Amino acid sequence: DAGVIQSPRHEVTEMGQEVTLRCKPISGHNSLFWYRQTMMRGLELLIYFNNNVPIDDSGMPEDRFSAKMPNASFSTLKIQPSEPRDSAVYFCASSFWQQETQYFGPGTRLLVL
Amino acid sequence: GQQVMQIPQYQHVQEGEDFTTYCNSSTTLSNIQWYKQRPGGHPVFLIQLVKSGEVKKQKRLTFQFGEAKKNSSLHITATQTTDVGTYFCARYNNNDMRFGAGTRLTVKP
């Protein structure tokens, strides 16, 4: 199994631009999580899906952030417009069910100038 | 949701010394998971504890779940430079998954 796949691995953009992060979970997993990691705030859960349905998006910072999961093998996290404070590492993780072991992708390192 | 408090935030040890990180919750936990993140890497699952008073071992790592299921610990015996990284506890409760702030371990050879 290839594990959780994320793209791009690195993204540098200018303030105000739209950023789209992509994730392919492990085949057969029912739950998908998006996290943001910074030195100041640690590892924060942004949103998670069960069977492609968003269950808890209380961690999404504000309306500039949106996430979709159109099918079991693909999810996106979009930031529009991006701001410098959005600079962080964004991880996607998947699991068989929400309380089970999570398998993390390699992360997307986002820098907003 | 209730956070899990993890201490210490940082720990620097000499190679061969022991290391322990603690995870505490004000509420009873259904389970607790431990992850390790190497510098520049992503969190990797180590273990899950479910039962009250449970103790599990992985080579030099010993994981404990408190009798009241409100705290947990990870102990590393005789640290090695390969143990460097940040250790996170994570708890799942009532559809809510939360990670502790992590303990960053550095090991001096």
Side-chain angles (χ1 to χ4, degrees), chain A residues 33 35 37 39 42-43 45 48 50 55-56 58-59 91 97-107 109, chain B residues 9-10 31 33 35 37 39-45 48 86 88 92 94-101 104:
Chain A
F33 305 78
Y35 292 90
Q37 187 174 41
M39 288 295 292
L43 195 60
L45 176 65
Y48 77 91
N50 280 346
I55 302 300
D56 183 359
S58 60
F91 289 106
W97 199 237
Q98 63 215 43
Q99 66 266 41
E100 299 298 324
T101 303
Q102 294 189 25
Y103 296 84
F104 282 74
R109 282 157 176 76
Chain B
Q9 189 175 2
Y10 302 97
N31 65 44
Q33 298 176 357
Y35 292 77
Q37 184 177 20
H42 58 275
V44 175
F45 174 80
Q48 176 169 281
T86 301
F88 294 96
Y92 173 81
N94 296 327
N95 287 330
D96 190 31
M97 184 76 176
R98 300 289 170 182
F99 279 76
R104 181 177 294 180

Side-chain angles (χ1 to χ4, degrees), chain B residues 53-81:
Chain B
E54 188 170 15
V55 178
K56 289 188 176 180
K57 292 190 175 183
Q58 291 179 350
K59 298 182 180 178
R60 294 178 295 103
L61 276 61
T62 302
F63 304 84
Q64 290 189 318
F65 203 7
E67 292 290 340
K69 299 182 74 174
K70 289 185 176 182
N71 56 73
S72 181
S73 65
L74 159 59
H75 179 82
I76 302 178
T77 303
T79 55
Q80 300 175 0
T81 54

